[in-house]
Protein backbone atom coordinates (compact mmCIF):
# COMPACT_ATOMS: atom_id res chain seq x y z
CA UNK A 1 0.00 0.00 0.00
CA UNK A 2 1.06 3.59 -0.52
CA UNK A 3 0.52 6.67 -2.62
CA UNK A 4 1.81 6.64 -6.18
CA UNK A 5 1.99 9.49 -8.69
CA UNK A 6 1.83 9.32 -12.46
CA UNK A 7 0.86 11.00 -15.69
CA UNK A 8 -1.85 10.23 -18.24
CA UNK A 9 -0.58 11.05 -21.71
CA UNK A 10 2.67 11.30 -23.62
CA UNK A 11 5.50 12.76 -21.50
CA UNK A 12 7.87 13.35 -24.43
CA UNK A 13 9.42 16.84 -24.27
CA UNK A 14 10.31 18.48 -27.62
CA UNK A 15 14.03 18.90 -28.22
CA UNK A 16 13.88 22.70 -28.25
CA UNK A 17 12.27 22.76 -24.79
CA UNK A 18 14.36 20.13 -23.02
CA UNK A 19 17.03 22.39 -21.58
CA UNK A 20 14.52 24.76 -20.03
CA UNK A 21 12.35 21.90 -18.81
CA UNK A 22 15.32 20.25 -17.11
CA UNK A 23 16.34 23.51 -15.41
CA UNK A 24 12.83 23.89 -14.08
CA UNK A 25 12.57 20.31 -12.84
CA UNK A 26 15.85 20.70 -10.95
CA UNK A 27 14.65 24.00 -9.49
CA UNK A 28 11.41 22.36 -8.31
CA UNK A 29 13.37 19.59 -6.60
CA UNK A 30 15.80 22.07 -5.05
CA UNK A 31 13.29 24.64 -3.79
CA UNK A 32 10.95 21.87 -2.71
CA UNK A 33 13.54 20.48 -0.30
CA UNK A 34 14.38 17.25 -2.12
CA UNK A 35 17.72 15.89 -0.93
CA UNK A 36 19.71 12.70 -0.86
CA UNK A 37 21.61 11.07 2.01
CA UNK A 38 25.27 10.08 2.21
CA UNK A 39 26.76 8.05 5.03
CA UNK A 40 30.14 8.59 6.68
CA UNK A 41 31.79 6.04 9.01
CA UNK A 42 34.48 7.34 11.36
CA UNK A 43 35.62 6.53 14.89
CA UNK A 44 33.38 3.47 14.96
CA UNK A 45 30.27 5.50 14.25
CA UNK A 46 28.09 5.98 11.17
CA UNK A 47 26.38 9.29 10.51
CA UNK A 48 24.21 10.48 7.63
CA UNK A 49 24.69 13.75 5.76
CA UNK A 50 22.29 15.66 3.53
CA UNK A 51 23.36 16.52 0.02
CA UNK A 52 21.68 17.95 -3.11
CA UNK A 53 20.33 15.37 -5.56
CA UNK A 54 22.96 14.32 -8.07
CA UNK A 55 23.66 11.59 -10.61
CA UNK A 56 25.61 8.55 -9.46
CA UNK A 57 28.92 7.82 -11.22
CA UNK A 58 28.22 6.37 -14.66
CA UNK A 59 24.50 7.17 -14.37
CA UNK A 60 22.40 9.94 -15.90
CA UNK A 61 19.52 10.08 -13.41
CA UNK A 62 19.50 12.65 -10.60
CA UNK A 63 18.29 10.74 -7.53
CA UNK A 64 16.58 11.82 -4.29
CA UNK A 65 14.92 10.06 -1.37
CA UNK A 66 14.47 12.64 1.41
CA UNK A 67 12.38 15.77 1.81
CA UNK A 68 13.81 18.30 4.22
CA UNK A 69 10.48 19.91 5.12
CA UNK A 70 8.66 16.62 5.61
CA UNK A 71 11.67 15.31 7.55
CA UNK A 72 11.14 11.89 6.10
CA UNK A 73 12.60 9.43 3.63
CA UNK A 74 10.62 7.76 0.87
CA UNK A 75 11.46 5.35 -1.91
CA UNK A 76 14.07 6.79 -4.27
CA UNK A 77 12.86 8.89 -7.18
CA UNK A 78 14.85 10.38 -10.00
CA UNK A 79 15.03 12.57 -13.07
CA UNK A 80 17.03 11.76 -16.21
CA UNK A 81 18.05 14.97 -18.03
CA UNK A 82 19.03 13.07 -21.18
CA UNK A 83 15.49 11.82 -21.77
CA UNK A 84 13.55 14.28 -19.58
CA UNK A 85 11.99 11.30 -17.80
CA UNK A 86 10.87 11.51 -14.19
CA UNK A 87 10.04 8.55 -11.99
CA UNK A 88 8.78 8.09 -8.46
CA UNK A 89 7.68 5.20 -6.29
CA UNK A 90 5.81 5.60 -2.99
CA UNK A 91 5.60 9.29 -2.10
CA UNK A 92 3.39 9.61 0.97
CA UNK A 93 0.92 12.47 1.25
CA UNK A 94 2.91 15.46 2.50
CA UNK A 95 5.75 17.59 1.09
CA UNK A 96 7.51 14.75 -0.74
CA UNK A 97 4.25 14.14 -2.58
CA UNK A 98 3.63 17.83 -3.29
CA UNK A 99 7.04 18.43 -4.83
CA UNK A 100 6.96 15.32 -7.01
CA UNK A 101 3.41 16.23 -8.09
CA UNK A 102 4.68 19.64 -9.19
CA UNK A 103 7.12 17.96 -11.59
CA UNK A 104 4.35 15.83 -13.10
CA UNK A 105 2.12 18.92 -13.50
CA UNK A 106 5.00 20.75 -15.21
CA UNK A 107 4.86 18.15 -18.00
CA UNK A 108 1.36 19.42 -18.82
CA UNK A 109 2.82 22.73 -19.99
CA UNK A 110 5.66 21.28 -22.08
CA UNK A 111 4.28 18.28 -23.97
CA UNK A 112 2.75 18.88 -27.43
CA UNK A 113 -0.27 16.69 -26.73
CA UNK A 114 -2.71 16.95 -23.85
CA UNK A 115 -1.84 15.06 -20.70
CA UNK A 116 -2.63 15.36 -17.02
CA UNK A 117 -0.94 14.43 -13.74
CA UNK A 118 -2.48 11.80 -11.50
CA UNK A 119 -2.31 10.45 -7.96
CA UNK A 120 -3.17 6.78 -7.49
CA UNK A 121 -4.58 6.98 -11.05
CA UNK A 122 -7.02 9.75 -10.05
CA UNK A 123 -6.82 13.23 -11.60
CA UNK A 124 -6.87 16.11 -9.13
CA UNK A 125 -7.19 19.87 -8.78
CA UNK A 126 -3.67 21.26 -9.30
CA UNK A 127 -4.38 24.97 -8.81
CA UNK A 128 -2.09 25.30 -5.80
CA UNK A 129 0.70 23.45 -7.60
CA UNK A 130 0.29 25.64 -10.69
CA UNK A 131 0.37 28.69 -8.43
CA UNK A 132 3.71 27.53 -7.00
CA UNK A 133 5.09 26.97 -10.51
CA UNK A 134 4.04 30.51 -11.40
CA UNK A 135 5.85 31.76 -8.31
CA UNK A 136 9.06 29.83 -9.02
CA UNK A 137 9.32 30.71 -12.70
CA UNK A 138 7.43 34.03 -12.88
CA UNK A 139 5.22 32.26 -15.42
CA UNK A 140 1.55 32.72 -16.29
CA UNK A 141 0.31 29.14 -16.31
CA UNK A 142 -3.48 28.78 -16.12
CA UNK A 143 -5.79 25.96 -15.12
CA UNK A 144 -7.12 25.25 -18.62
CA UNK A 145 -6.43 21.56 -17.97
CA UNK A 146 -9.81 21.51 -16.17
CA UNK A 147 -11.87 23.13 -18.95
CA UNK A 148 -12.65 20.03 -21.04
CA UNK A 149 -13.78 16.99 -19.00
CA UNK A 150 -14.05 14.80 -22.09
CA UNK A 151 -10.41 15.37 -22.95
CA UNK A 152 -9.49 14.23 -19.43
CA UNK A 153 -11.92 11.32 -19.33
CA UNK A 154 -10.45 9.75 -22.45
CA UNK A 155 -7.08 9.40 -20.72
CA UNK A 156 -8.42 7.55 -17.69
CA UNK A 157 -7.68 3.82 -17.42
CA UNK A 158 -10.67 1.49 -17.52
CA UNK A 159 -10.64 0.97 -13.75
CA UNK A 160 -10.98 4.74 -13.17
CA UNK A 161 -13.84 5.36 -15.62
CA UNK A 162 -16.23 5.86 -12.69
CA UNK A 163 -14.25 8.95 -11.67
CA UNK A 164 -15.85 12.32 -12.40
CA UNK A 165 -13.38 14.97 -13.64
CA UNK A 166 -16.06 17.62 -13.10
CA UNK A 167 -15.77 16.99 -9.36
CA UNK A 168 -12.06 16.26 -9.19
CA UNK A 169 -11.02 19.29 -11.25
CA UNK A 170 -13.77 21.72 -10.28
CA UNK A 171 -12.50 25.26 -9.94
CA UNK A 172 -15.20 27.51 -11.40
CA UNK A 173 -13.34 28.14 -14.67
CA UNK A 174 -15.29 28.40 -17.96
CA UNK A 175 -15.92 24.98 -19.43
CA UNK A 176 -15.61 23.97 -23.06
CA UNK A 177 -19.27 23.45 -24.18
CA UNK A 178 -18.58 20.68 -26.68
CA UNK A 179 -16.23 18.86 -24.34
CA UNK A 180 -18.79 19.13 -21.56
CA UNK A 181 -21.61 17.90 -23.79
CA UNK A 182 -19.67 14.90 -25.08
CA UNK A 183 -18.55 13.97 -21.57
CA UNK A 184 -22.04 14.19 -20.07
CA UNK A 185 -23.59 12.27 -22.97
CA UNK A 186 -21.00 9.50 -23.13
CA UNK A 187 -20.89 8.94 -19.37
CA UNK A 188 -24.64 9.47 -18.87
CA UNK A 189 -23.74 11.41 -15.72
CA UNK A 190 -26.42 14.06 -16.23
CA UNK A 191 -30.09 14.30 -17.05
CA UNK A 192 -31.53 16.16 -20.04
CA UNK A 193 -31.88 19.39 -18.08
CA UNK A 194 -28.19 19.41 -17.20
CA UNK A 195 -27.30 18.81 -20.83
CA UNK A 196 -29.43 21.76 -21.88
CA UNK A 197 -27.70 23.96 -19.31
CA UNK A 198 -24.27 22.90 -20.59
CA UNK A 199 -24.98 24.21 -24.10
CA UNK A 200 -27.52 26.96 -23.44
CA UNK A 201 -26.79 30.03 -25.58
CA UNK A 202 -23.41 28.57 -26.50
CA UNK A 203 -24.08 28.26 -30.20
CA UNK A 204 -25.40 30.64 -32.81
CA UNK A 205 -26.72 27.80 -34.98
CA UNK A 206 -30.49 27.72 -35.72
CA UNK A 207 -30.98 24.31 -34.05
CA UNK A 208 -29.83 23.35 -30.60
CA UNK A 209 -27.42 20.45 -30.68
CA UNK A 210 -29.53 18.63 -28.12
CA UNK A 211 -32.43 18.64 -30.60
CA UNK A 212 -30.17 16.83 -33.04
CA UNK A 213 -29.07 14.29 -30.44
CA UNK A 214 -32.70 13.64 -29.46
CA UNK A 215 -33.75 13.20 -33.10
CA UNK A 216 -30.95 10.72 -33.72
CA UNK A 217 -31.75 8.82 -30.54
CA UNK A 218 -35.46 8.60 -31.42
CA UNK A 219 -34.64 7.45 -34.95
CA UNK A 220 -32.40 4.70 -33.61
CA UNK A 221 -35.10 3.64 -31.15
CA UNK A 222 -37.60 3.34 -34.01
CA UNK A 223 -35.06 1.46 -36.13
CA UNK A 224 -34.47 -1.15 -33.42
CA UNK A 225 -37.97 -1.22 -31.87
CA UNK A 226 -38.97 -4.60 -33.28
CA UNK A 227 -35.69 -6.38 -32.63
CA UNK A 228 -35.61 -8.87 -29.76
CA UNK A 229 -31.82 -9.05 -30.09
CA UNK A 230 -29.47 -6.35 -31.46
CA UNK A 231 -29.55 -6.57 -35.25
CA UNK A 232 -25.86 -6.20 -36.03
CA UNK A 233 -26.59 -6.17 -39.76
CA UNK A 234 -28.45 -2.89 -39.29
CA UNK A 235 -25.49 -1.53 -37.33
CA UNK A 236 -23.10 -2.65 -40.05
CA UNK A 237 -25.21 -0.96 -42.74
CA UNK A 238 -25.53 2.21 -40.71
CA UNK A 239 -21.84 2.49 -39.89
CA UNK A 240 -20.90 1.72 -43.51
CA UNK A 241 -23.19 4.54 -44.64
CA UNK A 242 -21.67 6.92 -42.09
CA UNK A 243 -18.11 6.03 -43.05
CA UNK A 244 -18.73 6.46 -46.76
CA UNK A 245 -21.41 9.18 -46.61
CA UNK A 246 -23.53 6.89 -48.80
CA UNK A 247 -27.31 6.96 -48.33
CA UNK A 248 -27.76 3.82 -50.45
CA UNK A 249 -26.08 1.72 -47.78
CA UNK A 250 -28.66 2.66 -45.13
CA UNK A 251 -31.01 0.09 -43.66
CA UNK A 252 -34.68 0.78 -44.19
CA UNK A 253 -36.03 3.52 -41.92
CA UNK A 254 -32.68 5.09 -41.12
CA UNK A 255 -32.34 8.15 -43.43
CA UNK A 256 -33.19 10.75 -40.76
CA UNK A 257 -30.89 9.10 -38.25
CA UNK A 258 -28.06 9.06 -40.77
CA UNK A 259 -28.54 12.69 -41.81
CA UNK A 260 -28.41 13.96 -38.25
CA UNK A 261 -25.47 11.85 -37.13
CA UNK A 262 -23.40 12.45 -40.24
CA UNK A 263 -23.82 16.22 -40.28
CA UNK A 264 -24.80 17.53 -36.85
CA UNK A 265 -23.46 15.31 -34.07
CA UNK A 266 -19.88 14.84 -32.79
CA UNK A 267 -18.49 11.44 -33.66
CA UNK A 268 -18.14 10.57 -29.96
CA UNK A 269 -21.87 11.06 -29.39
CA UNK A 270 -22.70 9.16 -32.57
CA UNK A 271 -20.62 6.24 -31.31
CA UNK A 272 -22.35 6.39 -27.92
CA UNK A 273 -25.85 6.38 -29.42
CA UNK A 274 -25.00 3.46 -31.69
CA UNK A 275 -23.27 1.53 -28.91
CA UNK A 276 -26.30 1.89 -26.63
CA UNK A 277 -28.81 1.07 -29.35
CA UNK A 278 -27.02 -2.09 -30.49
CA UNK A 279 -25.42 -3.15 -27.17
CA UNK A 280 -21.86 -2.72 -28.46
CA UNK A 281 -18.60 -1.55 -26.88
CA UNK A 282 -18.46 2.23 -27.09
CA UNK A 283 -14.68 2.59 -27.25
CA UNK A 284 -14.27 0.04 -30.03
CA UNK A 285 -17.03 1.66 -32.06
CA UNK A 286 -15.57 5.12 -31.51
CA UNK A 287 -12.15 3.99 -32.71
CA UNK A 288 -13.73 2.48 -35.82
CA UNK A 289 -15.67 5.64 -36.70
CA UNK A 290 -12.86 8.04 -35.90
CA UNK A 291 -10.56 6.34 -38.36
CA UNK A 292 -12.62 7.74 -41.23
CA UNK A 293 -11.82 11.33 -40.31
CA UNK A 294 -15.28 12.87 -40.21
CA UNK A 295 -16.98 14.60 -37.31
CA UNK A 296 -20.45 16.05 -37.45
CA UNK A 297 -19.65 18.22 -34.44
CA UNK A 298 -17.34 20.37 -36.55
CA UNK A 299 -20.35 22.26 -37.88
CA UNK A 300 -21.22 23.82 -34.54
CA UNK A 301 -19.81 27.17 -33.60
CA UNK A 302 -19.65 27.49 -29.84
CA UNK A 303 -17.07 30.22 -30.04
CA UNK A 304 -13.81 30.40 -28.19
CA UNK A 305 -13.57 30.03 -24.44
CA UNK A 306 -12.86 33.25 -22.56
CA UNK A 307 -9.12 33.68 -22.02
CA UNK A 308 -8.06 31.73 -18.97
CA UNK A 309 -6.63 33.80 -16.14
CA UNK A 310 -3.21 32.80 -14.80
CA UNK A 311 -3.35 31.04 -11.46
CA UNK A 312 -2.30 33.36 -8.66
CA UNK A 313 1.28 32.70 -7.45
CA UNK A 314 1.71 30.65 -4.28
CA UNK A 315 4.93 31.28 -2.35
CA UNK A 316 7.29 28.44 -1.48
CA UNK A 317 6.81 28.64 2.29
CA UNK A 318 3.02 28.59 1.92
CA UNK A 319 3.15 25.72 -0.59
CA UNK A 320 5.44 23.61 1.60
CA UNK A 321 3.56 24.40 4.84
CA UNK A 322 6.65 25.80 6.53
CA UNK A 323 8.13 29.16 7.50
CA UNK A 324 11.09 31.00 6.01
CA UNK A 325 12.90 30.31 9.28
CA UNK A 326 12.84 26.63 8.25
CA UNK A 327 14.40 27.47 4.88
CA UNK A 328 17.78 28.70 6.12
CA UNK A 329 19.71 26.35 3.85
CA UNK A 330 17.93 27.97 0.87
CA UNK A 331 18.77 31.54 1.92
CA UNK A 332 20.56 33.60 -0.74
CA UNK A 333 21.53 37.29 -0.57
CA UNK A 334 19.02 38.15 -3.31
CA UNK A 335 16.57 35.34 -2.62
CA UNK A 336 13.07 35.03 -1.17
CA UNK A 337 13.96 33.71 2.31
CA UNK A 338 13.26 36.39 4.92
CA UNK A 339 13.77 35.49 8.55
CA UNK A 340 11.41 36.48 11.32
CA UNK A 341 12.46 38.84 14.11
CA UNK A 342 12.56 35.85 16.45
CA UNK A 343 14.90 33.98 14.09
CA UNK A 344 17.21 36.97 13.74
CA UNK A 345 17.30 37.43 17.51
CA UNK A 346 18.10 33.72 18.00
CA UNK A 347 20.87 33.87 15.38
CA UNK A 348 22.37 36.84 17.24
CA UNK A 349 22.34 34.80 20.46
CA UNK A 350 24.06 31.94 18.64
CA UNK A 351 26.71 34.33 17.34
CA UNK A 352 27.39 35.67 20.83
CA UNK A 353 27.71 32.12 22.16
CA UNK A 354 30.14 31.18 19.36
CA UNK A 355 32.28 34.24 19.98
CA UNK A 356 32.45 33.43 23.67
CA UNK A 357 33.37 29.80 23.07
CA UNK A 358 36.05 30.78 20.55
CA UNK A 359 37.63 33.09 23.15
CA UNK A 360 37.28 30.97 26.25
CA UNK A 361 37.74 27.34 25.25
CA UNK A 362 41.19 25.79 24.70
CA UNK A 363 41.95 24.77 21.10
CA UNK A 364 41.43 21.19 19.98
CA UNK A 365 44.33 19.38 18.29
CA UNK A 366 44.63 16.71 15.67
CA UNK A 367 41.48 14.67 15.16
CA UNK A 368 39.77 15.95 18.31
CA UNK A 369 37.45 18.30 16.40
CA UNK A 370 36.38 15.66 13.90
CA UNK A 371 35.84 13.07 16.60
CA UNK A 372 33.69 15.50 18.61
CA UNK A 373 31.70 16.39 15.48
CA UNK A 374 31.03 12.76 14.51
CA UNK A 375 30.19 11.79 18.08
CA UNK A 376 27.77 14.71 18.44
CA UNK A 377 26.03 13.98 15.13
CA UNK A 378 25.74 10.32 16.08
CA UNK A 379 24.05 11.21 19.37
CA UNK A 380 21.73 13.65 17.63
CA UNK A 381 20.67 11.09 15.03
CA UNK A 382 20.06 8.42 17.66
CA UNK A 383 17.94 10.79 19.70
CA UNK A 384 16.27 12.70 16.84
CA UNK A 385 16.39 10.62 13.63
CA UNK A 386 15.06 13.44 11.46
CA UNK A 387 17.95 15.85 12.16
CA UNK A 388 20.93 15.70 9.80
CA UNK A 389 23.95 17.87 9.06
CA UNK A 390 24.68 18.98 5.51
CA UNK A 391 27.58 17.38 3.71
CA UNK A 392 29.06 20.75 2.75
CA UNK A 393 29.32 21.75 6.40
CA UNK A 394 30.87 18.43 7.43
CA UNK A 395 33.69 18.47 4.92
CA UNK A 396 34.29 22.20 5.33
CA UNK A 397 34.69 21.71 9.08
CA UNK A 398 36.99 18.73 8.48
CA UNK A 399 39.15 20.91 6.23
CA UNK A 400 39.30 23.79 8.75
CA UNK A 401 39.49 21.89 12.02
CA UNK A 402 42.07 24.30 13.44
CA UNK A 403 39.73 27.31 13.11
CA UNK A 404 38.63 28.68 16.48
CA UNK A 405 35.16 29.51 15.13
CA UNK A 406 34.74 26.04 13.60
CA UNK A 407 35.67 24.50 16.94
CA UNK A 408 33.25 26.87 18.69
CA UNK A 409 30.49 25.90 16.24
CA UNK A 410 30.94 22.20 17.01
CA UNK A 411 31.05 22.81 20.77
CA UNK A 412 27.83 24.86 20.53
CA UNK A 413 26.23 22.06 18.49
CA UNK A 414 27.11 19.70 21.34
CA UNK A 415 25.46 22.06 23.84
CA UNK A 416 22.28 22.33 21.74
CA UNK A 417 22.12 18.53 21.42
CA UNK A 418 22.00 18.21 25.21
CA UNK A 419 18.91 20.41 25.52
CA UNK A 420 15.37 19.02 25.72
CA UNK A 421 13.04 19.52 22.74
CA UNK A 422 15.87 20.95 20.65
CA UNK A 423 14.96 19.40 17.28
CA UNK A 424 13.84 22.68 15.68
CA UNK A 425 16.87 24.60 16.95
CA UNK A 426 19.23 21.85 15.83
CA UNK A 427 17.75 21.71 12.34
CA UNK A 428 17.97 25.47 11.89
CA UNK A 429 21.47 25.70 13.35
CA UNK A 430 22.75 22.91 11.11
CA UNK A 431 21.05 24.54 8.11
CA UNK A 432 22.87 27.81 8.78
CA UNK A 433 26.19 26.00 9.20
CA UNK A 434 25.60 24.18 5.92
CA UNK A 435 24.82 27.38 4.01
CA UNK A 436 28.30 28.90 3.76
CA UNK A 437 27.27 32.38 2.50
CA UNK A 438 24.66 32.66 5.28
CA UNK A 439 27.09 31.33 7.88
CA UNK A 440 29.60 33.97 6.85
CA UNK A 441 26.94 36.66 7.14
CA UNK A 442 25.47 35.77 10.54
CA UNK A 443 28.36 33.94 12.29
CA UNK A 444 31.30 35.65 10.64
CA UNK A 445 33.27 32.60 9.44
Amino acid sequence: MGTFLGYFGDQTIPEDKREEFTQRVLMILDQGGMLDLEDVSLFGKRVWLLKPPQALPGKDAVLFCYNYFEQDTWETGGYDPTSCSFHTNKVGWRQFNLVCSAVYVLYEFYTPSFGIASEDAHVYDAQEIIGWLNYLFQSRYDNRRASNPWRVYQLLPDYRRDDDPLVQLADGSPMDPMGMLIYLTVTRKANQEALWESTESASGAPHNILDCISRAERALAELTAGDEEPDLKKLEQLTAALKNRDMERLPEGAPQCFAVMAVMIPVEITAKLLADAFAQDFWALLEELRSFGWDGGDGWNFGDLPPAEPVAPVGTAAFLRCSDDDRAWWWRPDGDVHFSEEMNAWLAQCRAALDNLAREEPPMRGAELLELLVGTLDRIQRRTPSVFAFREMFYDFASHSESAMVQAAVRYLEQLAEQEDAAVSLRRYLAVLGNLPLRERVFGF
Side-chain angles (χ1 to χ4, degrees):
M1 299 294 290
T3 303
F4 294 88
L5 303 177
Y7 188 84
F8 295 140
D10 185 359
Q11 290 179 255
T12 303
I13 306 297
E15 288 289 342
D16 62 335
K17 295 183 178 180
R18 290 193 167 195
E19 182 178 353
E20 180 183 90
F21 181 79
T22 292
Q23 290 173 350
R24 293 193 167 189
V25 169
L26 296 179
M27 186 173 181
I28 289 170
L29 297 177
D30 171 52
Q31 292 297 301
M34 289 301 192
L35 296 163
D36 205 0
L37 290 166
E38 173 180 296
D39 66 310
V40 174
S41 296
L42 288 170
F43 308 107
K45 297 177 174 61
R46 186 188 190 193
V47 297
W48 294 90
L49 306 174
L50 295 173
K51 64 178 181 179
Q54 62 186 42
L56 295 175
K59 304 290 184 180
D60 293 322
V62 176
L63 304 177
F64 55 88
C65 65
Y66 180 83
N67 187 274
Y68 182 82
F69 302 103
E70 184 170 338
Q71 303 178 47
D72 207 351
T73 302
W74 287 93
E75 294 178 1
T76 299
Y79 175 72
D80 187 342
T82 60
S83 60
C84 292
S85 60
F86 183 68
H87 72 273
T88 52
N89 295 293
K90 291 181 182 178
V91 297
W93 52 273
R94 294 181 292 169
Q95 286 91 339
F96 198 102
N97 179 314
L98 282 172
V99 176
C100 292
S101 294
V103 175
Y104 283 111
V105 170
L106 187 68
Y107 277 97
E108 298 178 17
F109 300 102
Y110 277 85
T111 55
S113 58
F114 178 75
I116 194 164
S118 66
E119 178 180 295
D120 289 335
H122 297 287
V123 297
Y124 54 84
D125 182 1
Q127 284 187 94
E128 185 181 28
I129 292 173
I130 297 171
W132 187 49
L133 298 180
N134 283 341
Y135 176 82
L136 287 181
F137 310 128
Q138 290 79 55
S139 51
R140 295 178 58 81
Y141 295 143
D142 57 49
N143 200 29
R144 201 171 305 172
R145 68 202 290 274
S147 66
N148 187 330
W150 172 243
R151 189 171 58 170
V152 175
Y153 186 75
Q154 293 177 88
L155 295 175
L156 299 181
D158 291 342
Y159 60 90
R160 288 291 185 243
R161 286 274 160 78
D162 288 335
D163 284 2
D164 188 353
L166 289 177
V167 174
Q168 293 166 320
L169 302 176
D171 74 328
S173 298
M175 301 297 288
D176 177 84
M178 188 62 79
M180 174 74 84
L181 177 65
I182 294 171
Y183 170 72
L184 292 176
T185 302
V186 169
T187 61
R188 302 297 192 186
K189 288 185 181 292
N191 56 29
Q192 195 76 358
E193 182 179 351
L195 289 175
W196 276 97
E197 290 177 356
S198 72
T199 59
E200 185 178 9
S201 304
S203 172
H207 301 288
N208 190 289
I209 190 170
L210 294 179
D211 292 333
C212 299
I213 296 173
S214 297
R215 288 167 59 196
E217 204 160 18
R218 286 196 300 271
L220 282 173
E222 293 171 3
L223 181 64
T224 59
D227 302 332
E228 293 184 5
E229 298 290 334
D231 188 339
L232 298 186
K233 184 176 180 181
K234 291 179 181 178
L235 175 62
E236 182 180 345
Q237 292 173 320
L238 190 51
T239 55
L242 289 168
K243 294 173 187 177
N244 297 282
R245 302 293 182 104
D246 186 352
M247 294 282 286
E248 294 182 0
R249 296 172 180 260
L250 287 171
E252 184 179 351
Q256 182 185 25
C257 178
F258 164 80
V260 173
M261 288 194 293
V263 179
M264 306 294 285
I265 297 180
V267 66
E268 295 89 350
I269 294 179
T270 294
K272 177 62 177 175
L273 298 182
L274 291 173
D276 287 356
F278 292 97
Q280 297 297 296
D281 179 71
F282 162 73
W283 295 103
L285 196 52
L286 175 59
E287 183 177 359
E288 179 184 352
L289 292 175
R290 267 181 174 164
S291 65
F292 284 80
W294 62 269
D295 188 351
D298 291 341
W300 295 92
N301 177 25
F302 286 102
D304 296 328
L305 283 174
E309 293 292 327
V311 176
V314 176
T316 297
F319 180 72
L320 296 174
R321 283 71 162 159
C322 67
S323 74
D324 276 355
D325 294 349
D326 299 315
R327 299 175 62 216
W329 193 71
W330 286 266
W331 177 92
R332 301 294 181 269
D334 57 349
D336 67 340
V337 176
H338 306 286
F339 296 139
S340 67
E341 292 183 5
E342 292 79 8
M343 178 72 165
N344 285 322
W346 178 74
L347 290 173
Q349 292 174 3
C350 292
R351 171 64 186 269
L354 294 181
D355 288 341
N356 185 62
L357 288 168
R359 285 193 308 268
E360 302 294 332
E361 293 294 327
M364 288 182 272
R365 305 297 183 190
E368 288 181 310
L369 179 283
L370 193 55
E371 186 170 8
L372 177 60
L373 175 59
V374 171
T376 301
L377 292 177
D378 177 66
R379 287 193 297 276
I380 289 172
Q381 290 173 19
R382 290 177 184 276
R383 182 176 177 181
T384 315
S386 63
V387 175
F388 301 99
F390 285 86
R391 181 181 63 175
E392 191 168 7
M393 178 216 83
F394 184 88
Y395 288 107
D396 181 70
F397 279 15
S399 299
H400 300 89
S401 61
E402 300 299 322
S403 164
M405 287 300 286
V406 166
Q407 294 185 8
V410 175
R411 285 187 167 114
Y412 191 60
L413 177 65
E414 183 184 31
Q415 292 178 11
L416 285 176
E418 293 172 353
Q419 298 176 7
E420 294 293 330
D421 300 321
V424 173
S425 296
L426 284 168
R427 278 170 51 80
R428 292 178 179 177
Y429 181 66
L430 288 169
V432 174
L433 295 181
N435 183 337
L436 272 55
L438 177 60
R439 191 183 79 194
E440 172 71 27
R441 177 166 175 165
V442 297
F443 293 158
F445 74 100

